[in-house]
Amino acid sequence: MNLKTKSLLLNVLVFIPIYLIFRFLLTYLAVPYIITFILSGILTIFLAPKFTVVNGMKGEKLFMKWIFKKGVTEIK
């Protein structure tokens, strides 16, 4: 599997559960319907980790950046 494909899959597989958690939490708190979708999307964009591929001298490498971790982590 190509690293760019793996990066895209990881972004989607992490984004969806976090989005659903926020969506159901905000629905439970009786926030209006359209605001629930918008607010849960914005919160997920900021809180979900981002996976990127960087081309280096030794080839492509997969990195993760997350608001709760300091710096960038290489994924092997």
Side-chain angles (χ1 to χ4, degrees):
M1 180 184 301
N2 190 357
L3 278 180
K4 291 183 181 182
T5 307
K6 190 182 237 183
S7 169
L8 179 66
L9 284 175
L10 285 171
N11 279 322
V12 170
L13 290 175
V14 171
F15 185 89
I16 291 172
I18 294 173
Y19 175 80
L20 291 175
I21 289 169
F22 281 127
R23 186 178 147 228
F24 290 128
L25 179 67
L26 292 172
T27 304
Y28 178 74
L29 295 174
V31 176
Y33 197 65
I34 190 72
I35 295 175
T36 300
F37 290 119
I38 294 170
L39 194 57
S40 59
I42 291 171
L43 287 172
T44 305
I45 287 171
F46 287 115
L47 296 179
K50 277 70 170 179
F51 296 93
T52 59
V53 176
V54 176
N55 291 325
M57 290 183 177
K58 296 182 179 179
E60 293 182 334
K61 292 185 180 183
L62 182 63
F63 289 99
M64 178 188 76
K65 184 178 180 183
W66 198 18
I67 192 170
F68 299 114
K69 278 189 121 175
K70 197 171 191 176
V72 179
T73 307
E74 182 180 352
I75 308 293
K76 302 219 175 196

